[in-house]
Amino acid sequence: MDRPNILVVMADQLAPHFTGAYGHPLVRTPAMDALAERGVRFDAAYCSSPLCAPSRFSMMSGRLASEIGAFDNGAEFTASIPTMAHYLRLAGYRTTLSGKMHFVGPDQLHGFEERLTTDVYPSGFAWAANWDAAAQHPGKWYYDFESVTGAGPVLANFQIDYDDEVGFTAVRRLYDLARPHTDERPFFLVASFIHPHDPYEARPEWWNLYDHDDIDLPDPIRDEEVDPHTLRIRQGTQGDTAGYTAAHYRTARHGYYAATSYFDSWLGRLVDALAETGRLDDTVVIVTSDHGDMLGDRGVFFKMSFFERSARVPLIMAGPGIPEGTTVPNACSLLDLLPTLLDIASDGGSWPEFDTPISGRSLWELACGGTDDLDETVGEYMAVLTSHPLFMIRRGRHKYIHCDSDPPLLYDVEADPLERTNLADEPGCAELAAAFAAETVQRWDSAAIRERVLASQRSRRAIQAAIGANGPGWDYRPERDANTEYVRDHTTYAQIGTRSRISLPA
């Protein structure tokens, strides 16, 4: 078999817990459901950093955020770091990005040959964290209570505008790739949407899929079960002063469920385009997200922590070589996507040479029905609403979370999926907790990482202050040559008809 095409469809802030594909009884995700039925669902996939830009930079590079300086949403993703797009180009793939990747810095391609849209978020340093003033609110650009209280149905907003463009250009490019052309390379296309990221709003056709009274509420939590970092998130997002009510929870979740169904509809349209053009059977389709959303659990929304709803991501694959309707329980992460893609692209051959070691491992054997004794992954968080790095180790049924400023957290996520019982101080778990603590010290030099984070933040703040809010930015401006579109003076109807026509499959 020729090497397959690869389509990655990415959501933003989508926790698997709130999808039908992962068993939620209410949320409608028929396209994800269908993908899982004809492929493999990973049931313990995590982001490597529970924030947009660090997660995406780690995913693209296959390296931990601390290794590449991807500390927060205003950290530069330097052009010298090889990405999955670079490696797939070396492997002979045509690489295209439609949508969000939150690249910060002058390089807005990072190995993609073409980018079909601009990004939805800014490319400069304005969103840098500030640990020198960690107790202060991160700034006017950051989350606050209005993201929750403003939830509801809308006719349009900037996120709907953006995702409509992302979906349209991605579907159109799939049709373009099926038209007669001389480039016979397999394609690697990433379609990256911003839904169901807050604000929790949706058009009426998606909002009305759900009966408001049916929307479930988060499970209650006792004050003594709330950890210091969650309390910082509450304070930083004004949840401690304004106070969330049951009505806020229900309306925000309603909007999130509706936005999830909207994202799912675009996944369905992309898969339909592959099927219509006869490419479905030779394309590996992967759906995932950059992180999840607490969605009211523990009294907080958004992400920024290593609790399950914040750090877990959906990961579903379907295509040639993948058996239907299988699940994988092994812990893994978005760090593993790059080596997995290279296994897909190599078709049993060798990978391109890595300039630097990668942190992830290939999941391709697991996806194809094989076994893997490794059942672990790690994560880091070095952004807003903390003053010290947070580290996470997930191994087997246990998850350990460390921050120098906070007590350690240890959970049995199989017996306690809501993570309500901290086992770190339980006498029966003392040996396990001590082993995790020792491993954390061995893996990470927290004090040294903190100094690197502070130095990076200070230099970026100085540059941002010098440039100012109205300074020249690096925001991507998609190129478009109207002289080559449709019918022009240098073409004929016959020529353009032959080039643009896609015949029905035989």
Side-chain angles (χ1 to χ4, degrees):
M1 184 189 75
D2 293 334
R3 292 176 301 162
N5 304 303
I6 303 169
L7 170 65
V8 174
V9 185
M10 194 167 187
D12 193 322
Q13 207 161 295
L14 177 58
H17 310 77
F18 306 115
T19 67
Y22 280 84
H24 195 282
L26 186 64
V27 183
R28 302 182 187 182
T29 53
M32 288 181 65
D33 300 353
L35 199 70
E37 288 173 2
R38 68 178 189 89
V40 58
R41 187 188 72 196
F42 289 80
D43 288 349
Y46 290 82
C47 64
S48 61
S49 188
L51 195 67
C52 297
S55 175
R56 292 165 183 268
F57 300 173
S58 291
M59 179 192 75
M60 288 291 299
S61 64
R63 299 175 65 191
L64 287 166
S66 63
E67 296 176 352
I68 59 174
F71 301 128
D72 55 50
N73 274 347
E76 182 178 359
F77 190 24
T78 57
S80 60
I81 298 172
T83 71
M84 60 177 62
H86 289 117
Y87 289 124
L88 286 173
R89 284 177 73 171
L90 289 171
Y93 275 70
R94 175 175 178 166
T95 59
T96 302
L97 169 62
S98 178
K100 174 186 175 179
M101 204 49 74
H102 207 151
F103 291 148
V104 175
D107 186 351
Q108 289 293 304
L109 290 175
H110 288 283
F112 288 104
E113 294 173 68
E114 56 181 357
R115 189 167 185 181
L116 307 181
T117 72
T118 189
D119 210 303
V120 69
Y121 282 167
S123 58
F125 297 151
W127 289 13
N130 183 1
W131 285 5
D132 289 316
Q136 298 178 10
H137 188 272
K140 65 181 181 179
W141 56 268
Y142 210 70
Y143 303 101
D144 58 31
F145 193 64
E146 291 182 3
S147 292
V148 178
T149 58
V154 297
L155 290 178
N157 62 20
F158 78 93
Q159 295 195 165
I160 297 171
D161 293 345
Y162 186 75
D163 277 356
D164 281 351
E165 180 183 0
V166 171
F168 170 80
T169 56
V171 169
R172 183 167 180 172
R173 184 46 46 97
L174 288 177
Y175 283 112
D176 287 343
L177 292 167
R179 291 188 170 100
H181 55 79
T182 57
D183 189 343
E184 296 301 326
R185 292 176 295 169
F187 66 77
F188 170 58
L189 172 61
V190 177
S192 184
F193 299 84
I194 192 171
H195 282 86
H197 192 291
D198 60 287
Y200 306 111
E201 301 171 345
R203 280 187 51 83
E205 61 264 34
W206 305 110
W207 186 273
N208 294 337
L209 282 178
Y210 299 94
D211 187 321
H212 189 69
D213 293 335
D214 290 340
I215 302 297
D216 54 316
L217 297 177
D219 293 277
I221 185 171
R222 301 190 307 271
D223 289 342
E224 59 267 26
E225 295 173 332
V226 180
D227 61 288
H229 184 60
T230 296
L231 292 176
R232 290 193 294 268
I233 296 174
R234 283 187 184 178
Q235 182 181 17
T237 57
Q238 302 175 352
D240 62 332
T241 54
Y244 298 126
T245 66
H248 292 139
Y249 287 127
R250 179 165 278 121
T251 303
R253 285 188 166 211
H254 190 158
Y256 186 90
Y257 296 173
T260 297
S261 294
Y262 165 74
F263 162 77
D264 185 80
S265 73
W266 275 116
L267 170 63
R269 291 177 66 177
L270 289 160
V271 172
D272 286 347
L274 288 173
E276 286 186 343
T277 56
R279 295 283 184 94
L280 186 60
D281 290 339
D282 60 5
T283 301
V284 174
V285 180
I286 301 172
V287 63
T288 191
S289 179
D290 54 356
H291 48 74
D293 190 321
M294 294 296 287
L295 213 60
D297 187 43
R298 309 181 84 84
V300 293
F301 285 80
F302 322 124
K303 53 271 187 176
M304 300 172 287
S305 77
F306 284 112
F307 293 107
E308 289 290 279
R309 284 157 181 76
S310 169
R312 279 269 309 280
V313 296
L315 181 59
I316 302 172
M317 304 181 189
I322 301 174
E324 295 184 357
T326 57
T327 59
V328 172
N330 302 55
C332 59
S333 85
L334 295 178
L335 289 170
D336 303 324
L337 191 56
L338 186 154
T340 302
L341 294 178
L342 290 184
D343 262 355
I344 296 171
S346 67
D347 192 25
S350 59
W351 291 354
E353 290 290 332
F354 289 126
D355 293 337
T356 52
I358 60 170
S359 305
R361 70 188 195 272
S362 175
L363 305 175
W364 188 234
E365 184 174 349
L366 283 170
C368 294
T371 59
D372 185 351
D373 293 335
L374 197 59
D375 185 14
E376 65 180 35
T377 194
V378 299
E380 309 169 328
Y381 180 77
M382 297 156 289
V384 294
L385 305 182
T386 183
S387 59
H388 294 75
L390 277 77
F391 306 112
M392 181 271 286
I393 302 173
R394 166 72 197 270
R395 179 174 296 116
R397 63 190 300 153
H398 291 103
K399 180 198 293 183
Y400 182 78
I401 303 170
H402 171 88
C403 180
D404 287 351
S405 63
D406 304 335
L409 302 175
L410 175 62
Y411 297 101
D412 181 339
V413 294
E414 291 185 13
D416 178 26
L418 293 176
E419 298 165 294
R420 296 298 194 250
T421 303
N422 180 15
L423 303 175
D425 295 325
E426 294 288 331
C429 296
E431 185 176 346
L432 179 62
F436 273 123
E439 182 179 348
T440 300
V441 172
Q442 184 180 25
R443 282 182 177 269
W444 293 283
D445 185 338
S446 182
I449 292 173
R450 185 173 189 271
E451 289 305 311
R452 288 177 54 218
V453 171
L454 284 165
S456 173
Q457 292 173 356
R458 291 162 183 163
S459 65
R460 286 180 281 138
R461 288 202 305 273
I463 293 170
Q464 185 63 29
I467 294 175
N470 298 318
W474 298 307
D475 302 317
Y476 186 69
R477 295 166 176 80
E479 297 180 2
R480 180 172 175 177
D481 184 3
N483 190 51
T484 63
E485 298 177 354
Y486 305 114
V487 181
R488 295 294 181 261
D489 288 343
H490 58 277
T491 62
T492 67
Y493 268 90
Q495 290 172 332
I496 199 68
T498 300
R499 288 205 306 262
S500 65
R501 183 179 301 111
I502 306 173
S503 300
L504 292 172

Coordinates of all heavy atoms in Angstrom, one line a residue, residues 240-312:
D240 N -14.1 33.4 42.8 CA -14.2 33.4 44.2 C -15.0 34.6 44.7 O -15.6 34.5 45.8 CB -12.8 33.4 44.9 CG -12.0 34.6 44.5 OD1 -12.2 35.2 43.4 OD2 -11.1 35.1 45.3
T241 N -15.0 35.7 44.0 CA -15.7 36.9 44.4 C -17.1 37.0 43.8 O -18.1 37.3 44.5 CB -14.9 38.1 44.0 OG1 -14.6 38.1 42.6 CG2 -13.6 38.2 44.8
A242 N -17.2 36.7 42.5 CA -18.5 36.8 41.8 C -19.4 35.6 42.2 O -20.6 35.7 42.5 CB -18.4 36.9 40.3
G243 N -18.7 34.4 42.3 CA -19.5 33.2 42.7 C -20.3 32.6 41.6 O -21.1 33.3 41.0
Y244 N -20.0 31.3 41.3 CA -20.8 30.6 40.3 C -22.1 30.1 40.9 O -22.0 29.5 42.0 CB -20.0 29.5 39.7 CG -18.7 29.9 39.0 CD1 -17.5 29.4 39.3 CD2 -18.8 30.9 38.0 CE1 -16.3 29.8 38.6 CE2 -17.7 31.3 37.3 CZ -16.4 30.7 37.6 OH -15.3 31.1 37.0
T245 N -23.2 30.2 40.2 CA -24.4 29.6 40.7 C -24.8 28.4 39.8 O -24.2 28.2 38.7 CB -25.6 30.6 40.6 OG1 -25.8 30.9 39.2 CG2 -25.2 31.9 41.3
A246 N -25.8 27.6 40.2 CA -26.2 26.5 39.4 C -26.7 27.0 38.0 O -26.4 26.3 37.0 CB -27.3 25.8 40.1
A247 N -27.3 28.1 38.0 CA -27.7 28.7 36.7 C -26.5 29.0 35.8 O -26.6 28.7 34.5 CB -28.6 29.9 36.9
H248 N -25.4 29.5 36.3 CA -24.2 29.8 35.5 C -23.6 28.5 35.0 O -23.3 28.4 33.8 CB -23.2 30.5 36.4 CG -23.5 31.9 36.8 ND1 -23.3 32.4 38.0 CD2 -24.1 32.9 36.1 CE1 -23.7 33.6 38.1 NE2 -24.2 33.9 36.9
Y249 N -23.5 27.5 35.9 CA -23.0 26.2 35.5 C -23.8 25.6 34.3 O -23.3 25.1 33.3 CB -23.0 25.2 36.6 CG -22.0 25.4 37.7 CD1 -22.4 25.5 39.0 CD2 -20.7 25.5 37.4 CE1 -21.5 25.7 40.1 CE2 -19.7 25.7 38.4 CZ -20.1 25.8 39.7 OH -19.2 26.0 40.7
R250 N -25.1 25.6 34.5 CA -26.0 25.0 33.5 C -25.9 25.7 32.1 O -25.8 25.1 31.1 CB -27.4 24.9 34.0 CG -28.4 24.3 33.0 CD -29.7 23.9 33.6 NE -29.6 22.6 34.3 CZ -29.8 22.4 35.6 NH1 -30.2 23.5 36.4 NH2 -29.7 21.2 36.2
T251 N -25.9 27.0 32.1 CA -25.9 27.8 30.9 C -24.5 27.6 30.2 O -24.5 27.5 29.0 CB -26.2 29.3 31.1 OG1 -27.5 29.4 31.8 CG2 -26.2 30.0 29.8
A252 N -23.5 27.7 31.0 CA -22.1 27.6 30.4 C -21.9 26.2 29.8 O -21.4 26.0 28.7 CB -21.0 27.9 31.4
R253 N -22.4 25.2 30.5 CA -22.3 23.8 30.0 C -23.2 23.6 28.7 O -22.8 22.9 27.8 CB -22.7 22.8 31.0 CG -21.6 22.6 32.1 CD -21.9 21.5 33.0 NE -20.7 21.1 33.8 CZ -20.4 19.9 34.2 NH1 -21.3 18.9 34.0 NH2 -19.3 19.6 34.9
H254 N -24.3 24.2 28.7 CA -25.2 24.2 27.6 C -24.5 24.7 26.3 O -24.4 24.1 25.3 CB -26.5 25.0 27.8 CG -27.5 24.8 26.8 ND1 -28.9 25.0 27.1 CD2 -27.5 24.4 25.5 CE1 -29.6 24.8 26.0 NE2 -28.8 24.4 25.0
G255 N -23.8 25.9 26.5 CA -23.1 26.5 25.4 C -21.9 25.6 25.0 O -21.6 25.5 23.8
Y256 N -21.2 25.0 25.9 CA -20.1 24.2 25.6 C -20.5 22.9 24.9 O -19.9 22.5 23.9 CB -19.4 23.8 26.9 CG -18.1 23.0 26.8 CD1 -16.9 23.6 26.7 CD2 -18.1 21.6 26.8 CE1 -15.7 22.9 26.6 CE2 -16.9 20.9 26.7 CZ -15.7 21.5 26.6 OH -14.6 20.8 26.5
Y257 N -21.6 22.3 25.3 CA -22.1 21.1 24.6 C -22.5 21.5 23.2 O -22.2 20.7 22.2 CB -23.3 20.5 25.3 CG -23.0 20.0 26.7 CD1 -24.0 19.5 27.5 CD2 -21.7 19.9 27.2 CE1 -23.7 19.0 28.8 CE2 -21.4 19.4 28.5 CZ -22.4 19.0 29.3 OH -22.2 18.5 30.5
A258 N -23.2 22.6 23.0 CA -23.6 23.0 21.7 C -22.4 23.3 20.8 O -22.4 22.9 19.6 CB -24.5 24.3 21.8
A259 N -21.4 24.0 21.3 CA -20.2 24.3 20.6 C -19.4 23.0 20.2 O -18.8 22.9 19.2 CB -19.3 25.2 21.4
T260 N -19.5 22.0 21.1 CA -18.8 20.7 20.8 C -19.5 20.1 19.6 O -18.9 19.5 18.7 CB -18.9 19.8 22.0 OG1 -18.1 20.4 23.1 CG2 -18.3 18.4 21.7
S261 N -20.9 20.1 19.6 CA -21.6 19.5 18.4 C -21.3 20.3 17.2 O -21.2 19.7 16.1 CB -23.1 19.6 18.7 OG -23.4 18.7 19.8
Y262 N -21.1 21.6 17.3 CA -20.7 22.4 16.1 C -19.4 21.9 15.6 O -19.2 21.7 14.4 CB -20.7 23.9 16.5 CG -20.0 24.8 15.5 CD1 -20.6 25.1 14.2 CD2 -18.7 25.3 15.7 CE1 -19.9 25.9 13.3 CE2 -18.1 26.1 14.8 CZ -18.7 26.4 13.6 OH -18.0 27.2 12.7
F263 N -18.4 21.8 16.5 CA -17.1 21.3 16.0 C -17.2 19.9 15.4 O -16.6 19.6 14.3 CB -16.1 21.2 17.2 CG -14.9 20.3 17.0 CD1 -13.9 20.7 16.2 CD2 -14.9 19.0 17.5 CE1 -12.8 19.9 16.0 CE2 -13.8 18.2 17.3 CZ -12.8 18.6 16.5
D264 N -18.0 19.1 16.0 CA -18.2 17.7 15.5 C -18.8 17.7 14.1 O -18.4 16.9 13.2 CB -19.1 16.9 16.4 CG -19.2 15.5 16.0 OD1 -18.3 14.7 16.3 OD2 -20.3 15.2 15.4
S265 N -19.6 18.7 13.8 CA -20.2 18.8 12.5 C -19.1 19.1 11.4 O -19.2 18.6 10.3 CB -21.3 19.9 12.4 OG -20.7 21.2 12.4
W266 N -18.1 19.9 11.8 CA -17.0 20.1 10.8 C -16.2 18.9 10.6 O -15.7 18.6 9.5 CB -16.2 21.3 11.3 CG -16.7 22.6 10.8 CD1 -17.2 23.6 11.6 CD2 -16.9 23.1 9.5 NE1 -17.6 24.7 10.9 CE2 -17.5 24.4 9.5 CE3 -16.7 22.5 8.2 CZ2 -17.8 25.1 8.4 CZ3 -17.0 23.2 7.1 CH2 -17.5 24.5 7.2
L267 N -16.0 18.1 11.7 CA -15.3 16.9 11.5 C -16.0 16.0 10.6 O -15.4 15.4 9.7 CB -15.1 16.2 12.9 CG -14.6 14.7 12.9 CD1 -13.2 14.6 12.3 CD2 -14.7 14.1 14.3
G268 N -17.3 15.9 10.7 CA -18.1 15.1 9.8 C -18.0 15.6 8.3 O -18.0 14.8 7.4
R269 N -18.0 16.9 8.1 CA -17.9 17.4 6.8 C -16.6 17.1 6.1 O -16.5 16.8 4.9 CB -18.2 18.9 6.8 CG -19.7 19.3 7.1 CD -19.9 20.7 7.1 NE -19.8 21.4 5.8 CZ -20.0 22.7 5.6 NH1 -20.4 23.4 6.7 NH2 -19.8 23.2 4.5
L270 N -15.5 17.2 6.9 CA -14.2 16.8 6.4 C -14.1 15.3 6.0 O -13.6 15.0 5.0 CB -13.1 17.2 7.5 CG -12.9 18.7 7.7 CD1 -12.2 19.0 9.0 CD2 -12.1 19.2 6.5
V271 N -14.6 14.5 6.9 CA -14.7 13.0 6.6 C -15.5 12.8 5.4 O -15.2 12.0 4.5 CB -15.1 12.2 7.8 CG1 -15.4 10.8 7.4 CG2 -14.1 12.4 9.0
D272 N -16.6 13.5 5.2 CA -17.5 13.3 4.1 C -16.8 13.7 2.8 O -16.9 13.1 1.7 CB -18.8 14.1 4.2 CG -19.7 13.6 5.2 OD1 -19.6 12.4 5.6 OD2 -20.7 14.3 5.6
A273 N -16.0 14.8 2.9 CA -15.2 15.2 1.7 C -14.2 14.1 1.3 O -14.0 13.9 0.1 CB -14.5 16.5 2.0
L274 N -13.6 13.5 2.3 CA -12.7 12.4 1.9 C -13.4 11.3 1.3 O -12.9 10.7 0.3 CB -12.0 11.9 3.2 CG -10.9 12.8 3.8 CD1 -10.5 12.2 5.2 CD2 -9.7 12.9 2.9
A275 N -14.6 10.9 1.8 CA -15.3 9.8 1.3 C -15.8 10.1 -0.2 O -15.7 9.3 -1.1 CB -16.5 9.5 2.2
E276 N -16.3 11.3 -0.4 CA -16.8 11.7 -1.7 C -15.7 11.7 -2.8 O -16.0 11.3 -3.9 CB -17.5 13.1 -1.7 CG -18.8 13.1 -1.0 CD -19.5 14.5 -1.1 OE1 -18.7 15.5 -1.4 OE2 -20.7 14.6 -0.9
T277 N -14.5 12.0 -2.4 CA -13.4 12.1 -3.4 C -12.6 10.8 -3.4 O -11.6 10.7 -4.1 CB -12.5 13.2 -3.0 OG1 -12.0 13.1 -1.7 CG2 -13.2 14.6 -3.2
G278 N -13.1 9.7 -2.7 CA -12.5 8.4 -2.8 C -11.2 8.3 -2.0 O -10.4 7.4 -2.3
R279 N -11.0 9.2 -1.1 CA -9.7 9.2 -0.3 C -9.8 8.7 1.1 O -8.8 8.6 1.8 CB -9.2 10.7 -0.2 CG -8.8 11.3 -1.5 CD -7.4 10.8 -2.0 NE -7.0 11.5 -3.2 CZ -6.1 12.6 -3.2 NH1 -5.8 13.1 -2.1 NH2 -5.7 13.1 -4.3
L280 N -11.0 8.3 1.5 CA -11.2 7.9 2.9 C -10.4 6.7 3.3 O -9.8 6.6 4.3 CB -12.7 7.7 3.2 CG -13.0 7.4 4.7 CD1 -12.6 8.6 5.6 CD2 -14.5 7.2 4.8
D281 N -10.4 5.7 2.4 CA -9.8 4.4 2.7 C -8.2 4.5 2.7 O -7.6 3.6 3.2 CB -10.2 3.4 1.7 CG -11.7 3.0 1.9 OD1 -12.2 3.2 3.0 OD2 -12.3 2.4 0.9
D282 N -7.7 5.6 2.1 CA -6.2 5.7 2.2 C -5.8 7.0 3.0 O -4.7 7.5 2.7 CB -5.6 5.8 0.7 CG -6.1 6.9 -0.1 OD1 -6.9 7.7 0.4 OD2 -5.8 7.0 -1.3
T283 N -6.6 7.4 3.9 CA -6.3 8.5 4.8 C -6.4 8.1 6.2 O -7.5 7.6 6.6 CB -7.2 9.7 4.5 OG1 -7.0 10.1 3.1 CG2 -6.8 10.9 5.3
V284 N -5.4 8.4 7.0 CA -5.5 8.2 8.5 C -6.1 9.5 9.0 O -5.5 10.6 8.8 CB -4.2 7.9 9.1 CG1 -4.3 7.9 10.7 CG2 -3.6 6.6 8.7
V285 N -7.3 9.4 9.7 CA -7.9 10.6 10.3 C -7.7 10.6 11.8 O -7.9 9.5 12.4 CB -9.4 10.6 10.0 CG1 -10.1 11.8 10.6 CG2 -9.7 10.6 8.5
I286 N -7.2 11.7 12.3 CA -7.0 11.8 13.8 C -7.7 13.0 14.3 O -7.6 14.1 13.7 CB -5.5 11.9 14.1 CG1 -4.7 10.7 13.5 CG2 -5.2 12.1 15.5 CD1 -3.2 10.9 13.5
V287 N -8.4 12.8 15.4 CA -9.1 13.9 16.1 C -8.6 14.0 17.5 O -8.4 13.0 18.2 CB -10.6 13.8 16.1 CG1 -11.1 12.5 16.8 CG2 -11.3 15.0 16.6
T288 N -8.3 15.3 17.9 CA -7.8 15.5 19.2 C -8.1 16.9 19.6 O -8.8 17.7 19.0 CB -6.3 15.2 19.3 OG1 -5.8 15.2 20.7 CG2 -5.5 16.2 18.5
S289 N -7.5 17.4 20.8 CA -7.6 18.7 21.3 C -6.3 19.1 21.9 O -5.5 18.3 22.3 CB -8.8 18.9 22.2 OG -8.9 20.2 22.7
D290 N -6.2 20.4 22.2 CA -4.9 20.9 22.9 C -5.0 20.7 24.4 O -3.9 20.6 25.0 CB -4.6 22.3 22.5 CG -5.7 23.3 22.8 OD1 -6.8 22.9 23.2 OD2 -5.5 24.5 22.6
H291 N -6.2 20.7 25.0 CA -6.4 20.4 26.4 C -7.9 20.4 26.6 O -8.7 20.4 25.7 CB -5.8 21.6 27.3 CG -6.1 22.9 26.8 ND1 -7.4 23.5 27.0 CD2 -5.4 23.9 26.1 CE1 -7.4 24.7 26.4 NE2 -6.2 24.9 25.9
G292 N -8.3 20.2 27.9 CA -9.7 20.2 28.2 C -10.3 21.4 28.8 O -9.7 22.5 28.6
D293 N -11.4 21.2 29.6 CA -12.0 22.4 30.2 C -12.6 21.8 31.5 O -13.3 20.8 31.5 CB -13.1 23.0 29.4 CG -13.7 24.3 29.9 OD1 -13.8 24.4 31.1 OD2 -13.9 25.2 29.1
M294 N -12.3 22.4 32.7 CA -12.9 22.0 33.9 C -14.4 22.1 33.9 O -15.1 21.3 34.6 CB -12.3 22.8 35.1 CG -10.8 22.6 35.3 SD -10.4 20.9 35.8 CE -11.0 20.9 37.5
L295 N -14.9 23.1 33.3 CA -16.4 23.2 33.1 C -17.2 23.2 34.4 O -18.2 22.6 34.5 CB -16.9 22.2 32.1 CG -18.0 22.7 31.2 CD1 -17.6 23.9 30.3 CD2 -18.5 21.6 30.2
G296 N -16.6 23.8 35.4 CA -17.3 23.9 36.7 C -16.8 22.9 37.7 O -17.2 23.1 38.9
D297 N -16.1 21.9 37.3 CA -15.6 20.9 38.3 C -14.7 21.7 39.3 O -13.9 22.5 38.8 CB -14.9 19.8 37.6 CG -14.6 18.7 38.6 OD1 -15.4 18.4 39.5 OD2 -13.4 18.2 38.5
R298 N -14.7 21.3 40.5 CA -13.9 22.0 41.6 C -14.2 23.5 41.7 O -13.4 24.2 42.3 CB -12.4 21.7 41.4 CG -12.1 20.2 41.2 CD -10.6 20.0 41.0 NE -10.0 19.9 42.3 CZ -9.9 18.8 43.0 NH1 -10.4 17.7 42.6 NH2 -9.2 18.8 44.1
G299 N -15.3 23.9 41.1 CA -15.6 25.3 41.2 C -14.9 26.2 40.3 O -14.8 27.5 40.5
V300 N -14.3 25.7 39.2 CA -13.5 26.5 38.2 C -13.9 26.1 36.8 O -14.4 25.0 36.6 CB -12.0 26.3 38.4 CG1 -11.6 27.0 39.7 CG2 -11.6 24.9 38.3
F301 N -13.6 27.0 35.9 CA -13.8 26.7 34.5 C -12.4 26.8 33.8 O -11.4 27.1 34.5 CB -14.7 27.8 33.9 CG -16.2 27.5 34.2 CD1 -16.7 27.9 35.4 CD2 -17.0 26.9 33.3 CE1 -18.0 27.7 35.7 CE2 -18.3 26.6 33.6 CZ -18.9 27.0 34.8
F302 N -12.4 26.6 32.5 CA -11.2 26.7 31.7 C -10.2 25.5 32.0 O -10.7 24.4 32.2 CB -10.5 28.1 31.9 CG -11.5 29.2 32.0 CD1 -11.5 30.1 33.1 CD2 -12.5 29.4 31.0 CE1 -12.4 31.1 33.2 CE2 -13.4 30.4 31.2 CZ -13.4 31.2 32.3
K303 N -8.9 25.8 32.0 CA -7.9 24.7 32.1 C -6.9 25.1 33.1 O -7.2 25.3 34.3 CB -7.3 24.5 30.7 CG -6.7 25.7 30.0 CD -7.6 26.4 29.2 CE -6.9 27.5 28.4 NZ -7.8 28.2 27.5
M304 N -5.6 25.0 32.8 CA -4.5 25.5 33.7 C -4.2 24.6 34.9 O -3.5 25.0 35.8 CB -4.7 26.9 34.1 CG -4.9 27.9 33.0 SD -5.4 29.5 33.5 CE -7.2 29.2 33.9
S305 N -4.7 23.4 34.9 CA -4.4 22.4 36.0 C -4.2 21.0 35.4 O -4.6 20.8 34.2 CB -5.4 22.5 37.1 OG -6.6 21.8 36.7
F306 N -3.8 20.1 36.2 CA -3.6 18.7 35.8 C -4.7 17.8 36.2 O -4.6 16.6 36.2 CB -2.2 18.2 36.2 CG -1.1 18.7 35.4 CD1 -0.2 19.6 36.0 CD2 -1.0 18.4 34.1 CE1 0.9 20.1 35.2 CE2 0.0 18.9 33.3 CZ 1.0 19.7 33.9
F307 N -5.9 18.4 36.6 CA -7.0 17.5 36.9 C -7.6 17.0 35.6 O -7.3 17.6 34.5 CB -8.0 18.3 37.7 CG -7.6 18.6 39.1 CD1 -7.2 19.9 39.5 CD2 -7.4 17.6 40.0 CE1 -6.7 20.1 40.7 CE2 -7.0 17.8 41.3 CZ -6.6 19.1 41.7
E308 N -8.3 15.9 35.6 CA -8.6 15.1 34.4 C -9.3 16.0 33.4 O -9.0 15.9 32.2 CB -9.5 13.9 34.8 CG -8.7 12.8 35.5 CD -7.8 12.1 34.6 OE1 -8.2 11.2 33.9 OE2 -6.6 12.4 34.7
R309 N -10.3 16.8 33.8 CA -11.1 17.5 32.8 C -10.3 18.6 32.1 O -10.6 19.1 31.0 CB -12.4 18.0 33.4 CG -13.4 16.9 33.6 CD -14.4 17.2 34.6 NE -15.4 16.1 34.8 CZ -15.1 15.0 35.4 NH1 -13.9 14.8 35.9 NH2 -16.0 14.0 35.5
S310 N -9.2 19.1 32.8 CA -8.3 20.1 32.2 C -7.2 19.5 31.3 O -6.9 20.0 30.3 CB -7.7 20.9 33.3 OG -6.7 21.7 32.9
A311 N -6.6 18.4 31.8 CA -5.4 17.9 31.2 C -5.7 16.7 30.2 O -4.9 16.5 29.3 CB -4.4 17.4 32.2
R312 N -6.8 16.0 30.3 CA -7.1 14.9 29.4 C -7.6 15.5 28.0 O -8.2 16.6 28.0 CB -8.2 14.0 29.9 CG -7.8 13.0 30.9 CD -7.4 11.7 30.3 NE -8.4 11.2 29.4 CZ -9.5 10.5 29.8 NH1 -9.7 10.3 31.1 NH2 -10.4 10.1 29.0

